[in-house]
Amino acid sequence: KEEEEDEGREAWERAYADERSWEALQEDESGLLHVDKKQQQRQYRRRLQVASHIQRGLIRYLYILIDFSRAAGEKDFEPSRMVVVANCVEAFVREFFDQNPLSHLGIIIMKNGIALRLTDLSGSPEAHIKALRSKLESGGDPSLQNSLDLAHSYLSQIPSYGHREVLILYSALSTCDPGDIMDSIKKCKEAKMRCSVVGLSAEIYICKHLCEETGGLYTVALDGSHLKDLVLEHAPPPPAIAEFAVASLVKMGFPQRGAEGAISICACHKEVKTCCYTCPRCKARVCELPTQCHICGLTLVSSPHLARSYHHLFPVIPFEEVLSRANASSQRLPRTCFGCQQFLPNPGSKVGVRVACPRCKQHFCFDCDIYIHESLHNCPGCES
């Protein structure tokens, strides 16, 4: 019913309705107040639709193309499209490196008819966020062709085991190109680049054609919260395209960390650092991981990075919602959550969700379900 009411409202009406948080309070059987978690419910339903065993690329090279033309200064997204996009990109960068510790990301901005590379491909989220915050200026027209050509010039040099991706945040309704953009789209397709677009205005044919040709996704945001959801959907690794998914061995090195307080010059920034890692092949010093050695080209990672990427290969199976006692087992239903030991709502209750693992049959609350699938990546019931 609430979803039908949301669909019947305009975008500006939903924005004001979401601020009336006191109307979302509900009282359970014990007299406790609970807040209706619409966003988590949407995440829960979206996760149920995702297949569990799909081949995914763990080493991703992603360029974010951000439209900072005069259209980014529009006020339909408060306080402006540019500020809302910057906040979404900041949240996306942190989530991207949290879920893809072995991947690299770069930022390209387009305005005044040109494309400017703001940051190189690297694994430092703070460097990307700091550079983006220092360039919040809009003006001129965007050039989608120049941006694609610039991203292609860098991603085409990526090794075959890396998955090449482009995420475009587009505000304008047109593009100012110096040549035929169809040639640029053809080059991106031949280079196996997966291009996705999140629009802030109406649907544009050229953006839709770009996504269809390269196997990406094209979506249009309705408001600020919807924009953030659409952008964060690109944080997990996408399914690998069959013709692009080539099995190959990647040579990696596990560098040792230097002693605390030891002063050395890193090979990546040519600066004096107090804490560096030593490449096992050429003994060069690097200041951050994961990265590629600037001397011998060896990929340098740490064991926690590999461990954090493991759950994408073997994800936790989605839990099933217990709707009624008839759907549950003939045994007596547990009263508490197996994870946090809090009392569980009755099946079909309006104040909460009760889910069960299909393998171990243990029951969990909604909060533990989110934590297990998005942070822990292991079922406590199956592990015990």
Side-chain angles (χ1 to χ4, degrees):
K1 182 179 178 182
E2 292 176 352
E3 290 181 357
E4 293 177 357
E5 292 177 356
D6 286 344
E7 292 177 357
R9 295 193 186 105
E10 297 293 339
W12 63 271
E13 291 179 317
R14 286 197 298 270
Y16 285 103
D18 292 340
E19 294 177 0
R20 302 171 65 89
S21 58
W22 59 87
E23 293 183 355
L25 292 175
Q26 297 180 356
E27 185 176 355
D28 62 6
E29 300 173 355
S30 60
L32 298 176
L33 294 178
H34 296 269
V35 179
D36 185 20
K37 304 174 181 178
K38 296 181 181 179
Q39 183 176 1
Q40 290 185 344
Q41 291 281 3
R42 289 196 297 266
Q43 293 177 353
Y44 174 72
R45 288 192 295 270
R46 186 165 60 244
R47 191 173 64 249
L48 291 179
Q49 299 174 357
V50 178
S52 339
H53 299 286
I54 297 178
Q55 185 175 357
R56 300 178 182 272
L58 298 185
I59 304 180
R60 305 167 62 188
Y61 293 87
L62 171 68
Y63 261 112
I64 306 178
L65 276 54
I66 307 177
D67 179 7
F68 275 174
S69 63
R70 66 169 64 95
E74 296 291 336
K75 306 292 184 180
D76 52 349
F77 287 69
E78 295 182 352
S80 68
R81 292 183 182 179
M82 182 173 56
V83 174
V84 173
V85 167
N87 294 333
C88 292
V89 171
E90 180 177 348
F92 172 79
V93 169
R94 298 187 187 279
E95 183 70 16
F96 177 84
F97 285 111
D98 182 64
Q99 298 200 31
N100 308 271
L102 299 180
S103 301
H104 292 75
L105 181 144
I107 298 177
I108 294 175
I109 60 176
M110 43 181 145
K111 61 180 180 179
N112 297 322
I114 61 175
L116 173 65
R117 185 179 64 168
L118 191 62
T119 58
D120 298 329
L121 287 171
S122 67
S124 175
E126 298 301 330
H128 297 302
I129 295 172
K130 182 179 179 181
L132 179 63
R133 289 297 181 183
S134 63
K135 294 291 184 179
L136 290 182
E137 299 176 356
S138 61
D141 297 320
S143 177
L144 190 59
Q145 183 184 13
N146 288 336
S147 303
L148 290 176
D149 289 341
L150 184 60
H152 175 269
S153 64
Y154 294 112
L155 292 179
S156 59
Q157 305 173 11
I158 298 302
S160 59
Y161 59 79
H163 289 253
R164 306 163 185 175
E165 301 176 39
V166 172
L167 175 61
I168 305 173
L169 305 181
Y170 208 68
S171 298
L173 289 172
S174 61
T175 173
C176 180
D177 300 326
D180 189 358
I181 191 174
M182 294 300 178
D183 295 337
S184 300
I185 295 177
K186 184 178 179 180
K187 289 195 302 182
C188 293
K189 182 178 179 180
E190 293 174 351
K192 303 177 182 179
M193 292 168 50
R194 185 180 190 269
C195 302
S196 300
V197 181
V198 178
L200 281 76
S201 302
E203 183 177 296
I204 307 174
Y205 168 78
I206 192 63
C207 294
K208 185 175 182 180
H209 179 72
L210 170 65
C211 297
E212 290 176 350
E213 288 294 314
T214 59
L217 299 176
Y218 182 38
T219 52
V220 178
L222 302 177
D223 50 34
S225 60
H226 188 219
L227 173 65
K228 186 175 182 180
D229 291 341
L230 294 179
V231 173
L232 290 179
E233 284 182 0
H234 296 274
I241 303 176
E243 57 181 311
F244 298 163
V246 180
S248 60
L249 298 178
V250 182
K251 184 176 292 187
M252 294 185 177
F254 296 87
Q256 294 183 349
R257 184 172 181 174
E260 291 292 337
I263 299 177
S264 58
I265 299 178
C266 68
C268 43
H269 297 93
K270 306 295 189 298
E271 297 177 356
V272 177
K273 303 286 185 178
T274 57
C275 180
C276 286
Y277 300 89
T278 304
C279 174
R281 176 189 284 175
C282 65
K283 307 304 179 183
R285 303 294 179 90
V286 294
C287 57
E288 59 183 12
L289 296 177
T291 186
Q292 194 170 17
C293 181
H294 290 251
I295 305 300
C296 63
L298 180 65
T299 301
L300 303 178
V301 298
S302 64
S303 54
H305 292 146
L306 289 177
R308 285 165 54 192
S309 301
Y310 181 78
H311 67 270
H312 290 303
L313 299 177
F314 303 98
V316 181
I317 186 172
F319 292 169
E320 299 175 351
E321 184 176 355
V322 182
L323 299 177
S324 63
R325 293 183 180 273
N327 294 340
S329 59
S330 58
Q331 302 177 355
R332 184 177 179 182
L333 294 178
R335 297 183 58 189
T336 59
C337 170
F338 186 81
C340 62
Q341 300 301 314
Q342 298 291 329
F343 284 102
L344 288 173
N346 293 326
S349 175
K350 297 181 179 180
V351 298
V353 179
R354 175 196 287 252
V355 295
C357 176
R359 292 177 178 172
C360 63
K361 307 301 180 184
Q362 297 292 348
H363 287 219
F364 298 90
C365 65
F366 181 75
D367 291 330
C368 286
D369 179 26
I370 294 293
Y371 175 70
I372 289 171
H373 284 87
E374 297 187 358
S375 300
L376 189 61
H377 303 298
N378 286 292
C379 175
C382 297
E383 294 297 328
S384 62

PDB file of all heavy atoms in Angstrom, residues 3-4 34 37 50 84 116 124 127 152 199 224 235 250 260 273 322 378:
ATOM      1  N   GLU A   3       3.906   1.509  -1.120  1.00  0.00           N
ATOM      2  CA  GLU A   3       4.555   1.646  -2.419  1.00  0.00           C
ATOM      3  C   GLU A   3       3.600   2.254  -3.438  1.00  0.00           C
ATOM      4  O   GLU A   3       4.000   3.071  -4.264  1.00  0.00           O
ATOM      5  CB  GLU A   3       5.045   0.284  -2.905  1.00  0.00           C
ATOM      6  CG  GLU A   3       6.219  -0.252  -2.101  1.00  0.00           C
ATOM      7  CD  GLU A   3       6.675  -1.584  -2.634  1.00  0.00           C
ATOM      8  OE1 GLU A   3       6.033  -2.089  -3.578  1.00  0.00           O
ATOM      9  OE2 GLU A   3       7.667  -2.116  -2.111  1.00  0.00           O
ATOM     10  N   GLU A   4       2.319   1.863  -3.398  1.00  0.00           N
ATOM     11  CA  GLU A   4       1.347   2.436  -4.321  1.00  0.00           C
ATOM     12  C   GLU A   4       1.162   3.925  -4.060  1.00  0.00           C
ATOM     13  O   GLU A   4       0.997   4.713  -4.985  1.00  0.00           O
ATOM     14  CB  GLU A   4       0.019   1.695  -4.185  1.00  0.00           C
ATOM     15  CG  GLU A   4       0.079   0.244  -4.644  1.00  0.00           C
ATOM     16  CD  GLU A   4      -1.232  -0.480  -4.426  1.00  0.00           C
ATOM     17  OE1 GLU A   4      -2.157   0.148  -3.856  1.00  0.00           O
ATOM     18  OE2 GLU A   4      -1.345  -1.649  -4.827  1.00  0.00           O
ATOM     19  N   HIS A  34       9.257   1.196  16.389  1.00  0.00           N
ATOM     20  CA  HIS A  34      10.139   0.819  15.295  1.00  0.00           C
ATOM     21  C   HIS A  34       9.927   1.797  14.149  1.00  0.00           C
ATOM     22  O   HIS A  34       8.817   2.260  13.906  1.00  0.00           O
ATOM     23  CB  HIS A  34       9.863  -0.611  14.805  1.00  0.00           C
ATOM     24  CG  HIS A  34      10.138  -1.653  15.846  1.00  0.00           C
ATOM     25  ND1 HIS A  34      11.361  -2.254  15.970  1.00  0.00           N
ATOM     26  CD2 HIS A  34       9.350  -2.172  16.822  1.00  0.00           C
ATOM     27  CE1 HIS A  34      11.323  -3.125  16.974  1.00  0.00           C
ATOM     28  NE2 HIS A  34      10.101  -3.091  17.503  1.00  0.00           N
ATOM     29  N   LYS A  37      11.683   1.016   7.619  1.00  0.00           N
ATOM     30  CA  LYS A  37      12.932   1.117   6.869  1.00  0.00           C
ATOM     31  C   LYS A  37      12.660   0.819   5.400  1.00  0.00           C
ATOM     32  O   LYS A  37      12.856  -0.284   4.918  1.00  0.00           O
ATOM     33  CB  LYS A  37      13.963   0.150   7.437  1.00  0.00           C
ATOM     34  CG  LYS A  37      14.205   0.382   8.933  1.00  0.00           C
ATOM     35  CD  LYS A  37      15.128  -0.671   9.504  1.00  0.00           C
ATOM     36  CE  LYS A  37      15.345  -0.462  10.988  1.00  0.00           C
ATOM     37  NZ  LYS A  37      16.201  -1.477  11.587  1.00  0.00           N
ATOM     38  N   VAL A  50      18.827 -11.139  -7.268  1.00  0.00           N
ATOM     39  CA  VAL A  50      20.169 -11.354  -7.807  1.00  0.00           C
ATOM     40  C   VAL A  50      20.523 -12.833  -7.724  1.00  0.00           C
ATOM     41  O   VAL A  50      20.358 -13.470  -6.694  1.00  0.00           O
ATOM     42  CB  VAL A  50      21.210 -10.518  -7.028  1.00  0.00           C
ATOM     43  CG1 VAL A  50      22.610 -10.795  -7.564  1.00  0.00           C
ATOM     44  CG2 VAL A  50      20.882  -9.042  -7.145  1.00  0.00           C
ATOM     45  N   VAL A  84      24.558  17.375  -5.268  1.00  0.00           N
ATOM     46  CA  VAL A  84      23.973  16.050  -5.033  1.00  0.00           C
ATOM     47  C   VAL A  84      24.821  14.968  -5.699  1.00  0.00           C
ATOM     48  O   VAL A  84      25.073  13.899  -5.107  1.00  0.00           O
ATOM     49  CB  VAL A  84      22.522  16.014  -5.550  1.00  0.00           C
ATOM     50  CG1 VAL A  84      21.960  14.598  -5.479  1.00  0.00           C
ATOM     51  CG2 VAL A  84      21.645  16.965  -4.748  1.00  0.00           C
ATOM     52  N   LEU A 116      38.300  16.468 -18.897  1.00  0.00           N
ATOM     53  CA  LEU A 116      39.487  16.659 -18.067  1.00  0.00           C
ATOM     54  C   LEU A 116      39.621  15.494 -17.104  1.00  0.00           C
ATOM     55  O   LEU A 116      38.675  15.180 -16.369  1.00  0.00           O
ATOM     56  CB  LEU A 116      39.381  17.971 -17.277  1.00  0.00           C
ATOM     57  CG  LEU A 116      40.474  18.249 -16.233  1.00  0.00           C
ATOM     58  CD1 LEU A 116      41.826  18.422 -16.921  1.00  0.00           C
ATOM     59  CD2 LEU A 116      40.130  19.484 -15.406  1.00  0.00           C
ATOM     60  N   SER A 124      43.127   4.713  -3.921  1.00  0.00           N
ATOM     61  CA  SER A 124      43.039   5.578  -2.748  1.00  0.00           C
ATOM     62  C   SER A 124      41.728   6.358  -2.776  1.00  0.00           C
ATOM     63  O   SER A 124      41.582   7.309  -3.558  1.00  0.00           O
ATOM     64  CB  SER A 124      44.224   6.548  -2.718  1.00  0.00           C
ATOM     65  OG  SER A 124      44.081   7.468  -1.656  1.00  0.00           O
ATOM     66  N   ALA A 127      42.038  10.278  -1.961  1.00  0.00           N
ATOM     67  CA  ALA A 127      42.594  11.122  -3.019  1.00  0.00           C
ATOM     68  C   ALA A 127      41.520  11.512  -4.031  1.00  0.00           C
ATOM     69  O   ALA A 127      41.472  12.668  -4.488  1.00  0.00           O
ATOM     70  CB  ALA A 127      43.741  10.389  -3.716  1.00  0.00           C
ATOM     71  N   HIS A 152      38.737   5.827 -23.083  1.00  0.00           N
ATOM     72  CA  HIS A 152      39.214   4.724 -23.928  1.00  0.00           C
ATOM     73  C   HIS A 152      40.735   4.727 -24.031  1.00  0.00           C
ATOM     74  O   HIS A 152      41.373   3.664 -24.052  1.00  0.00           O
ATOM     75  CB  HIS A 152      38.578   4.832 -25.315  1.00  0.00           C
ATOM     76  CG  HIS A 152      39.088   3.837 -26.294  1.00  0.00           C
ATOM     77  ND1 HIS A 152      40.173   4.082 -27.131  1.00  0.00           N
ATOM     78  CD2 HIS A 152      38.690   2.569 -26.570  1.00  0.00           C
ATOM     79  CE1 HIS A 152      40.398   3.028 -27.870  1.00  0.00           C
ATOM     80  NE2 HIS A 152      39.512   2.088 -27.568  1.00  0.00           N
ATOM     81  N   GLY A 199      21.211   9.040 -15.623  1.00  0.00           N
ATOM     82  CA  GLY A 199      20.786  10.357 -16.053  1.00  0.00           C
ATOM     83  C   GLY A 199      20.065  11.121 -14.965  1.00  0.00           C
ATOM     84  O   GLY A 199      19.407  10.532 -14.112  1.00  0.00           O
ATOM     85  N   GLY A 224      16.871  12.832  -5.327  1.00  0.00           N
ATOM     86  CA  GLY A 224      18.207  12.640  -4.773  1.00  0.00           C
ATOM     87  C   GLY A 224      18.432  11.263  -4.191  1.00  0.00           C
ATOM     88  O   GLY A 224      19.469  10.634  -4.423  1.00  0.00           O
ATOM     89  N   ALA A 235      28.312  -0.469  -7.398  1.00  0.00           N
ATOM     90  CA  ALA A 235      29.452  -0.783  -6.537  1.00  0.00           C
ATOM     91  C   ALA A 235      29.819  -2.272  -6.558  1.00  0.00           C
ATOM     92  O   ALA A 235      31.004  -2.609  -6.679  1.00  0.00           O
ATOM     93  CB  ALA A 235      29.183  -0.308  -5.109  1.00  0.00           C
ATOM     94  N   VAL A 250      47.091 -14.227 -12.781  1.00  0.00           N
ATOM     95  CA  VAL A 250      47.625 -12.896 -12.524  1.00  0.00           C
ATOM     96  C   VAL A 250      48.759 -13.030 -11.509  1.00  0.00           C
ATOM     97  O   VAL A 250      48.568 -13.577 -10.419  1.00  0.00           O
ATOM     98  CB  VAL A 250      46.531 -11.959 -11.975  1.00  0.00           C
ATOM     99  CG1 VAL A 250      47.096 -10.558 -11.765  1.00  0.00           C
ATOM    100  CG2 VAL A 250      45.339 -11.926 -12.920  1.00  0.00           C
ATOM    101  N   GLU A 260      58.043   0.762  11.860  1.00  0.00           N
ATOM    102  CA  GLU A 260      57.397   2.016  12.240  1.00  0.00           C
ATOM    103  C   GLU A 260      58.439   3.117  12.439  1.00  0.00           C
ATOM    104  O   GLU A 260      59.462   2.913  13.095  1.00  0.00           O
ATOM    105  CB  GLU A 260      56.602   1.816  13.528  1.00  0.00           C
ATOM    106  CG  GLU A 260      55.371   0.928  13.374  1.00  0.00           C
ATOM    107  CD  GLU A 260      54.303   1.574  12.529  1.00  0.00           C
ATOM    108  OE1 GLU A 260      54.314   2.814  12.433  1.00  0.00           O
ATOM    109  OE2 GLU A 260      53.463   0.843  11.958  1.00  0.00           O
ATOM    110  N   LYS A 273      58.107   9.327   2.947  1.00  0.00           N
ATOM    111  CA  LYS A 273      57.039   8.725   3.738  1.00  0.00           C
ATOM    112  C   LYS A 273      57.640   8.048   4.964  1.00  0.00           C
ATOM    113  O   LYS A 273      58.778   7.568   4.939  1.00  0.00           O
ATOM    114  CB  LYS A 273      56.262   7.702   2.912  1.00  0.00           C
ATOM    115  CG  LYS A 273      55.661   8.260   1.621  1.00  0.00           C
ATOM    116  CD  LYS A 273      54.461   9.122   1.896  1.00  0.00           C
ATOM    117  CE  LYS A 273      53.802   9.578   0.594  1.00  0.00           C
ATOM    118  NZ  LYS A 273      52.589  10.382   0.811  1.00  0.00           N
ATOM    119  N   VAL A 322       9.777 -15.573   6.170  1.00  0.00           N
ATOM    120  CA  VAL A 322       8.766 -16.434   6.779  1.00  0.00           C
ATOM    121  C   VAL A 322       7.478 -15.631   6.851  1.00  0.00           C
ATOM    122  O   VAL A 322       7.334 -14.724   7.681  1.00  0.00           O
ATOM    123  CB  VAL A 322       9.209 -16.908   8.176  1.00  0.00           C
ATOM    124  CG1 VAL A 322       8.160 -17.849   8.772  1.00  0.00           C
ATOM    125  CG2 VAL A 322      10.562 -17.606   8.097  1.00  0.00           C
ATOM    126  N   ASN A 378      28.951 -14.371   5.719  1.00  0.00           N
ATOM    127  CA  ASN A 378      28.931 -15.758   6.192  1.00  0.00           C
ATOM    128  C   ASN A 378      27.689 -15.946   7.050  1.00  0.00           C
ATOM    129  O   ASN A 378      27.350 -15.056   7.843  1.00  0.00           O
ATOM    130  CB  ASN A 378      30.165 -16.110   7.025  1.00  0.00           C
ATOM    131  CG  ASN A 378      31.405 -16.272   6.166  1.00  0.00           C
ATOM    132  OD1 ASN A 378      31.521 -17.200   5.380  1.00  0.00           O
ATOM    133  ND2 ASN A 378      32.347 -15.335   6.313  1.00  0.00           N
TER     134      ASN A 378
END
